[in-house]
Amino acid sequence: MTRTGDLLALAAAASVSTGTFWLAAAADAGQRYEAGLVLGLAAGLSVALLRRFTRLPLGRRRPYTFALPLPAPDWRAPLPDPHGDPEALRPHAEPRARLLSDASALGAALRHSCALPPGLRTELAASATTASIQASNSVLPPAGDGPLGPDPAYDAAYALGELVAAVEFSRIGLRALEALVTERPLRADPPCWFSPLHERGRTRTVIAGAAEEVTVCHGCAREPAPLLVPSAAGPVPYYESEAVDPRWRLLGYGAAVPDGATAMIAAARDGFRGDGTKPLGTKRLGTKVSW
């Protein structure tokens, strides 16, 4: 509303409150209790309507301050190669997932106070929530608890693929929260196709086995060093393993599409189509990224 509209709304609310107060004062002793209740309800309703439809302060909340629980792991930093052992990655994945879980409630709060467009605010908050849920779910399966056990190699590859997903979703969710805090739209920050544990992908290139260009880190642009997972025939790149969830494997954890974070969030929400090859995550959502 305009400032004139604010003043008119305030005058109307004051008139309602004054009229109700006058009726309460004019009531006899037997009716004053009921009149007092009516007065309180009218005053509360007036304040609620003014807060909803005007720009008057009326006790609005102070903006929230973004603060992560300490000590906070450096969620941007690349991680060491676990050499096919999921338990070597778990101490890195779990704190990041826990950090996002502790901080994700800020998304709902910042959705109401951030200066970004309302639709983008809502989508960023929803992405942070989805990423937090997926990251937490991905650290649950320990080694030896894969879906097709009792194949130890398959179980280890499955667990490793899930822990890598936990790391990537933690990065996605924390970036969404950071965008809400800094009030700046997201910029693309895809992982390296060969290993999401490397530095972030900065170069897009075509490689064998990928239908489209993928992002790779500077090191893998010179000499590829894929993340290897166990198999019955020996270590294989994660993107060749049937044990790794196809949602993450076919998307390269977001490296295979320009808006990788959006695709990963959509894949986490929607899964795959019946043929198991076409991720629903490739559809466009409200979260926009720019290069």
Side-chain angles (χ1 to χ4, degrees), residues 201-275:
R202 298 302 178 212
T203 303
R204 293 196 70 82
T205 186
V206 176
I207 63 171
E212 300 179 4
E213 286 187 340
V214 299
T215 54
V216 298
C217 67
H218 292 311
C220 286
R222 297 189 300 269
E223 183 178 355
L227 174 68
L228 300 179
V229 299
S231 77
V236 297
Y238 79 90
Y239 42 81
E240 296 179 2
S241 172
E242 293 297 324
V244 177
D245 191 312
R247 291 176 295 174
W248 324 140
R249 170 166 45 87
L250 296 181
L251 288 172
Y253 292 94
V257 287
D259 54 349
T262 302
M264 287 289 286
I265 289 295
R269 288 174 178 161
D270 302 327
F272 270 58
R273 300 186 191 276
D275 60 7

Side-chain angles (χ1 to χ4, degrees), residues 260-289:
T262 302
M264 287 289 286
I265 289 295
R269 288 174 178 161
D270 302 327
F272 270 58
R273 300 186 191 276
D275 60 7
T277 59
K278 191 73 171 178
L280 293 181
T282 55
K283 70 182 182 181
R284 295 294 186 264
L285 297 179
T287 304
K288 303 298 183 183
V289 296

Side-chain angles (χ1 to χ4, degrees), residues 20-32:
T20 309
F21 179 79
W22 181 83
L23 290 175
D28 58 39
Q31 297 175 325
R32 285 183 180 175

